[in-house]
Structure formats: structure tokens, C-alpha cells
Amino acid sequence: MRIPPPTPRQMYWNRVLLNVFWMVLALYLASQLFISLSMWGRRPEFSGSYFKFHVLIPDSVVTLLLLALEAIQKWRQPWAELSIIAASHIYAALIIANLSPDYHVKPLIMLLPLLVSMIYLKSNYLKASSFVCLLYILMLFISTPAYEYALRIENIIIAFIFAGTSLAAFGVIGRGRDLMQSLENSVKSEQDLRIQNIIMDRLSKIDPLTDLYNHKTFHEYLGWLIDHQQNNPFPMQLAVLDIDNFKKVNDEYGHWVGDIVLRQVAQTLLAHIGTDDFAARYGGEEFVVILTAKPLDESLAMMEHILLGIASLPIAEMDNKTITVSIGMHEYDRADSKSSTFQQADDALYEAKKTGKNKIVIL
């Protein structure tokens, strides 16, 4: 049988229960020591032989049991939970067997496995522990002489305590599962809401046709970069691109082909710009690229690759004809504002259009 590895929470509760077992053992040893010292020399049965067979050996067995659980917790973690459940019955039985028959309340120690099963919130563990307690109660009734009316009444009371504890434990497990399910549903709803917010945020920033950033996001990012320049200057250029004769493409081949052209231009931009750069669809057939952290000649070389890449890209829907773009560039100067930066790049684009298209002009 393959048991899945425990979760961090399961490992945490395994550790808590093992600590409780050690504390119970420590209290049990302390009480035994106190009783032995109190009765030593006063009652003949409290001799060295009694201490050996009723204290040393049973307590050593319990200690070895706990050490075995510690080893399982460390090296066989998938089996730790099941081992703790089984060991809780053995633990309780060893303590009961070692106590004097004069302690009529000692059967209540069998509540330990019931409580351990309840902590794990697993009804199968609780059913098994309840069945063991039932067998133990039957053994008590069978072993109690008929004339021991008081003891039989005590056993009946203990049986009621076991039954009440089991019923309460099943109620706790049911309530715990309801709470866990409610928490899980709440977490799932929160995750769904986060995903929806992320999707909505993306839709508000991304152009759906080209998958580039949109006009609004471009202006926000450009403004942020310029504000950032005041305290931490760095090289920055703005390029404005416009597809040449795009109206003719729409008129001759249809707007659906025009959409294909826009997507291919966007893909070419994304393929050539760096991780520090920013590309957006400004509107219609116009695109913008913000190039950062590189000198002008390097940015110019990048835009030339884009210019040539677009010009050499055949469009299947246009009978393998190609298109061209015109590009205007401006290198940001600290004296520039956001509007003047864009205006100078746009003026450079106008100059490129006016002087022949399919070229780059820098102002």
C-alpha cells in the first residue's frame, strides 16, 4: 500500500502529539516516583522487586515505544500518522496494565486514542478507536464479578463516558470538515477573484489584436520613465512607427488582411526589442517603441533590424507581397517633457514619410 507523503500541517500535528506523549510519560513517571518514595518502607509490597516489575520494565517499554515513533516520524514520515494512532492504544493499554486494580478510574485512560483520532479529523481512525474501546468495556464487564455491583455501575458510567466522547468526537470531526470545506471554498473564491483581476488588468493594458501594450499604458509608462529620469538618469529613446500605405492594403485586400499585417508587424517588434524595452500599439497602423539602457547608436541599429525585417517579410494573404514602415526617433533629453518627447519623435516620423518612407529619421 502506497501512502502519500504527509503535508506540513500533518507533520506539525504528528510532532504535537508526540510531544504530548512524552509529557504524559514524564507526568506518569513523576507520579510513580512520588508514590514509591511515599510508600517505601511503609508497605511491604513496595520493594525492589515491585519497582523492577511494575515501574522500571513497563516504563522502559513505553519509552521504547515512543522512541520507535520518533524514528518513524524522522525516517518513515508517511507512516507516522498511522503509527501514532496504533501506538496510542498500546500506550494506554500499557499504562492501564501497570496500574493497580485499586484505581477504578484507570479505564478512562482509553480516552487517549479517542482524543488522538479526533485531532486527526479522520472518522476511520475514530471508528477503529471506538471499536477498541467497546471491546475493552466488554472485557471489563466479563471480568467483573456479579456481586461487585458498585464496580459494575462504575463500568457502566465509564461506558457512557466512552460513548459520549465518541459521539462528541464524530461531531467535532464533522464540524471540522465543514469548516475546512468552507475555508477551501473561500480560498478558491479568492483565487478566482485574483485571476479575474489579473485578466481584467491585462485587458485594460493590452491591445487585443496585436497583444502589445495599448495607447493608455504607453503614456503611463513613458510618464513614469521620465519622472524616474530626474533622480536616476539613463539613456532612453522613443521610436514611432507607421505602416506605409496601410489604407491601400485595407482597400485592396480587405480589413481582415490589414489585421494580419498589424499582427505580423507586432510580432516583428517583439522579436527584435530587448527585455528592457517597451512596445505598444499607439492606434490604427501606428506603433511606439521605448528603448532604454542603451546608447543611441545601439537603439538605431535595433530599429534598422526591425525596418529591414518588416520589409523582407512576405504576407501570404497579399500574394506574398511585402510592406514597409517609416520610423521617427528621438533621444530623450532631461529638458524634454513627456509631450515634447513624443512630439519630436512624431515629427521625425512625419519627416520620414515626407522624404520617401521605409526609412528612419532621428530628431
Side-chain angles (χ1 to χ4, degrees):
M1 179 178 66
R2 183 181 180 277
I3 300 178
T7 64
R9 294 305 301 171
Q10 288 175 313
M11 293 176 63
Y12 168 78
W13 284 109
N14 290 345
R15 182 70 267 162
V16 168
L17 288 172
L18 285 174
N19 292 342
V20 169
F21 284 178
W22 283 112
M23 287 189 288
V24 170
L25 178 61
L27 291 173
Y28 180 57
L29 291 175
S31 64
Q32 283 184 317
L33 181 62
F34 175 76
I35 293 172
S36 298
L37 292 176
S38 300
M39 299 299 177
W40 195 272
R42 299 182 182 181
R43 296 181 61 176
E45 62 266 26
F46 283 90
S47 61
S49 175
Y50 175 88
F51 183 79
K52 176 181 178 182
F53 290 102
H54 292 275
V55 177
L56 183 60
I57 294 177
D59 292 348
S60 298
V61 173
V62 173
T63 302
L64 290 174
L65 176 66
L66 295 185
L67 290 175
L69 290 178
E70 290 287 353
I72 294 172
Q73 169 72 1
K74 184 174 182 179
W75 290 297
R76 292 291 184 270
Q77 290 181 352
W79 292 90
E81 185 177 295
L82 190 60
S83 300
I84 289 173
I85 290 293
S88 66
H89 293 86
I90 301 173
Y91 194 0
L94 287 173
I95 295 177
I96 290 173
N98 187 46
L99 289 175
S100 169
D102 297 334
Y103 304 136
H104 295 164
V105 296
K106 67 179 184 178
L108 293 177
I109 296 175
M110 286 302 294
L111 290 173
L112 177 64
L114 289 176
L115 297 175
V116 172
S117 302
M118 181 176 63
I119 287 176
Y120 280 122
L121 294 179
K122 292 186 177 180
S123 57
N124 288 337
Y125 290 163
L126 185 56
K127 289 176 183 177
S129 297
S130 299
F131 179 73
V132 172
C133 288
L134 176 62
L135 291 179
Y136 178 67
I137 288 295
L138 291 176
M139 291 173 59
L140 284 179
F141 275 106
I142 293 172
S143 62
T144 302
Y147 57 84
E148 292 282 358
Y149 298 110
L151 189 56
R152 281 181 170 255
I153 292 174
E154 288 179 4
N155 291 340
I156 292 173
I157 293 173
I158 290 172
F160 276 115
I161 292 174
F162 282 163
T165 303
S166 295
L167 291 175
F170 279 114
V172 169
I173 290 176
R175 180 59 177 160
R177 287 179 174 175
D178 288 342
L179 291 174
M180 290 173 65
Q181 185 63 47
S182 298
L183 179 61
E184 184 178 340
N185 292 338
S186 177
V187 170
K188 187 177 184 302
S189 297
E190 183 179 353
Q191 289 176 341
D192 291 342
L193 183 60
R194 285 183 181 179
I195 292 172
Q196 289 177 3
N197 288 337
I198 291 172
I199 293 173
M200 293 302 295
D201 184 63
R202 174 177 169 80
L203 290 175
S204 69
K205 293 182 177 180
I206 299 296
D207 173 62
L209 177 63
T210 61
D211 210 30
L212 297 178
Y213 288 105
N214 57 24
H215 177 280
K216 176 178 175 289
T217 308
F218 159 71
H219 278 291
E220 291 175 351
Y221 186 60
L222 179 61
W224 181 85
L225 286 176
I226 290 176
D227 290 341
H228 194 59
Q229 286 272 6
Q230 306 305 317
N231 298 322
N232 185 26
F234 54 88
M236 184 178 78
Q237 302 83 29
L238 174 63
V240 182
L241 298 80
D242 187 86
I243 301 175
D244 298 326
N245 305 314
F246 186 68
K247 184 177 183 302
K248 183 179 178 181
V249 173
N250 283 331
D251 292 342
E252 187 172 346
Y253 297 99
H255 286 83
W256 69 278
V257 176
D259 289 346
I260 293 173
V261 171
L262 290 171
R263 284 195 291 266
Q264 293 205 3
V265 170
Q267 290 171 6
T268 304
L269 287 176
L270 291 175
H272 286 83
I273 63 174
T275 54
D276 295 327
D277 302 325
F278 175 95
R281 183 186 179 193
Y282 193 77
E285 69 272 23
E286 200 166 54
F287 300 84
V288 286
V289 178
I290 303 174
L291 305 118
T292 58
K294 58 180 73 67
L296 177 60
D297 56 347
E298 188 175 331
S299 295
L300 177 60
M302 182 180 292
M303 297 311 299
E304 287 175 344
H305 283 301
I306 291 173
L307 186 81
L308 294 173
I310 293 173
S312 62
L313 184 65
I315 310 295
E317 292 77 9
M318 294 173 51
D319 302 324
N320 288 326
K321 293 180 182 177
T322 60
I323 59 165
T324 61
V325 295
S326 298
I327 302 175
M329 289 186 67
H330 172 70
E331 182 167 35
Y332 172 80
D333 184 86
R334 293 193 68 179
D336 291 332
S337 64
K338 185 179 79 169
S339 59
S340 65
T341 299
F342 181 80
Q343 185 60 53
Q344 291 188 70
D346 198 47
D347 290 344
L349 171 64
Y350 177 77
E351 185 67 23
K353 287 280 192 181
K354 188 175 68 173
T355 56
K357 302 179 180 178
N358 192 26
K359 60 191 299 186
I360 300 174
V361 172
I362 301 175
L363 289 180

